[in-house]
Amino acid sequence: MTESFQRMLRSICLILLALLCSLVVGSFFLLAAGYQPLEAYINIVRGAFGSKTALTQTLCKATPLLLIGIAVAVAFKGSAFNIGGEGQFYAGALGCVLCEMLVHNSGLPGIVVIPFCLLGAFLFGALWEGIPGYLKAVRGSSEVVTSVMLSSIMVLLVKFLVGQGGPIAEPRGIYPETQEIMDAAKLPYVIPGTRLHLGFFLALLIAGLVYFLLEKTTLGYKIKATGLNSNAAEYAGIRVGMVTLSTMAFSGAIAGLAGGIEVLGTSWKLYAGLSPGYGYNAIAVALLGRLHPIGIIFSALLFGMLNTGSNQMARSIGIPSTLASILQALVLLFVVGFSILEQKQFIFKRKETVK
């Protein structure tokens, strides 16, 4: 059994153990609130996978979490903490909408319009995270502080732009949102009768491409080398500043694509509350997936299940959907806790070996 396979097996067992522990501890919260845990968990699973509509809704909810989780992982690999995914999501959505407005009455087919809009999302996301990347690479500024500040700026900027009387608000000025995008710009549905759009499969493709980039290319090697030890990487001839800047810009571009896909596939317009916190939840998704693109796919599906299933739980037995947020927090708490224990055990074994 290879070392990489053993490491993957340990990660899977750790995640399953963390999920089991979170369900057990979550049961005490449910009992304290006067609800039956087994009934609540059954309704979560039924609400997420109990029908074709429920399953496809879960996949749609998982799509932005998957993409922003990948974005967070890419930044982590380059020793950067992308905590501004929320702002990059909105930046991508804004770039997508602005590109759609340019061709709104052009009559161009979807095969031209959709890539053009997604390119706008990609570039806007890259630009917005490229600013913290530049400040970190050139000025040594903390990317945590700058990305959080820029995230807040973008959220407020979108709120202003789509607000009543805003520059890109819908013409009637009744609702704080943009006009609906044209039909040619909408991502096609994959399964008739559901809202599962092509964006989910684009997200899977991007996850695969990122895995290939990080594991099979020279650029991926440079990113990981910079993340592991920037001084050693610079000594080896790697331009650390350029790698840091490009890594963070690429991370923002992926998060921007999440915003573009959300607009083209689900909302069909931009409004201030487009994200229910995808940018922050995706950090937990990335950590739960152990910063591995394949692991993040399953992690995003889990969080998508909790988001969709909690709505069913609230409708069926009246349990507040906020309890699903407690479950998500418990999952993350146990994953982080078990990861620390795993690392300490590894260090302990390594010291024993040295002796």
Side-chain angles (χ1 to χ4, degrees):
M1 189 182 293
T2 63
E3 183 181 351
S4 60
F5 181 78
Q6 289 179 346
R7 188 166 56 248
M8 182 182 69
L9 192 60
R10 284 199 304 268
S11 297
I12 293 173
C13 291
L14 185 146
I15 292 172
L16 291 176
L17 182 60
L19 180 59
L20 177 62
C21 291
S22 65
L23 292 176
V24 172
V25 175
S27 298
F28 290 103
F29 285 97
L30 290 168
L31 288 171
Y35 300 106
Q36 292 296 324
L38 182 59
E39 185 182 9
Y41 295 149
I42 289 174
N43 274 275
I44 287 178
V45 175
R46 184 181 300 159
F49 304 113
S51 65
K52 181 171 69 173
T53 302
L55 174 60
T56 53
Q57 185 65 21
T58 297
L59 298 180
C60 288
K61 288 285 187 181
T63 300
L65 292 172
L66 169 56
L67 285 170
I68 306 177
I70 293 292
V72 172
V74 168
F76 261 115
K77 293 294 184 181
S79 189
F81 191 14
N82 183 2
I83 201 173
E86 189 82 353
Q88 295 143 36
F89 174 88
Y90 276 103
L94 176 61
C96 178
V97 166
L98 292 177
C99 287
E100 191 278 336
M101 288 180 173
L102 292 175
V103 296
H104 187 75
N105 296 315
S106 63
L108 292 171
I111 196 172
V112 175
V113 174
I114 291 174
F116 178 65
C117 293
L118 291 179
L119 177 62
F122 185 91
L123 293 177
F124 269 61
L127 174 64
W128 207 246
E129 181 62 3
I131 298 173
Y134 172 80
L135 293 175
K136 177 182 175 66
V138 178
R139 300 294 183 181
S141 304
S142 169
E143 75 278 12
V144 174
V145 176
T146 53
S147 60
V148 167
M149 292 172 61
L150 285 169
S151 182
S152 299
I153 291 172
M154 178 53 67
V155 172
L156 293 173
L157 177 62
V158 168
K159 188 175 182 180
F160 162 73
L161 292 174
V162 303
Q164 292 187 354
I168 61 173
E170 53 96 10
R172 295 176 299 172
I174 300 175
Y175 303 105
E177 59 188 26
T178 62
Q179 63 180 344
E180 185 174 309
I181 62 176
M182 62 180 178
D183 291 339
K186 297 175 182 177
L187 290 173
Y189 292 139
V190 177
I191 301 177
T194 70
R195 298 207 67 182
L196 180 62
H197 52 78
L198 189 62
F200 174 72
F201 298 96
L202 289 175
L204 292 179
L205 176 62
I206 291 169
L209 292 175
V210 168
Y211 172 77
F212 179 82
L213 171 71
L214 292 175
E215 302 297 332
K216 306 296 182 181
T217 67
T218 304
L219 177 60
Y221 170 79
K222 291 180 178 179
I223 291 173
K224 292 189 292 183
T226 301
L228 289 172
N229 192 321
S230 59
N231 292 329
E234 189 169 10
Y235 183 78
I238 296 175
R239 298 176 61 188
V240 171
M242 183 59 67
V243 171
T244 299
L245 173 57
S246 58
T247 300
M248 294 186 68
F250 183 56
S251 172
I254 298 174
L257 278 177
I261 289 175
E262 186 73 7
V263 169
L264 300 185
T266 303
S267 66
W268 298 342
K269 58 184 68 174
L270 174 62
Y271 50 89
L274 182 65
S275 169
Y278 288 136
Y280 304 109
N281 292 335
I283 298 174
V285 168
L287 294 176
L288 179 59
R290 306 301 294 274
L291 303 177
H292 192 286
I294 307 302
I296 292 171
I297 293 174
F298 293 101
S299 177
L301 290 174
L302 173 62
F303 275 68
M305 179 196 77
L306 291 175
N307 287 334
T308 306
S310 63
N311 295 329
Q312 171 70 22
M313 183 178 67
R315 290 193 301 267
S316 300
I317 51 181
I319 297 180
S321 58
T322 51
L323 284 173
S325 300
I326 295 177
L327 290 177
Q328 293 176 2
L330 287 172
V331 170
L332 179 61
L333 177 65
F334 280 109
V335 167
V336 173
F338 289 146
S339 297
I340 293 174
L341 291 177
E342 182 187 29
Q343 291 173 2
K344 285 187 175 181
Q345 185 181 17
F346 173 74
I347 294 171
F348 179 72
K349 286 183 178 179
R350 186 174 61 183
K351 287 182 177 179
E352 280 187 343
T353 304
V354 173
K355 290 180 181 178

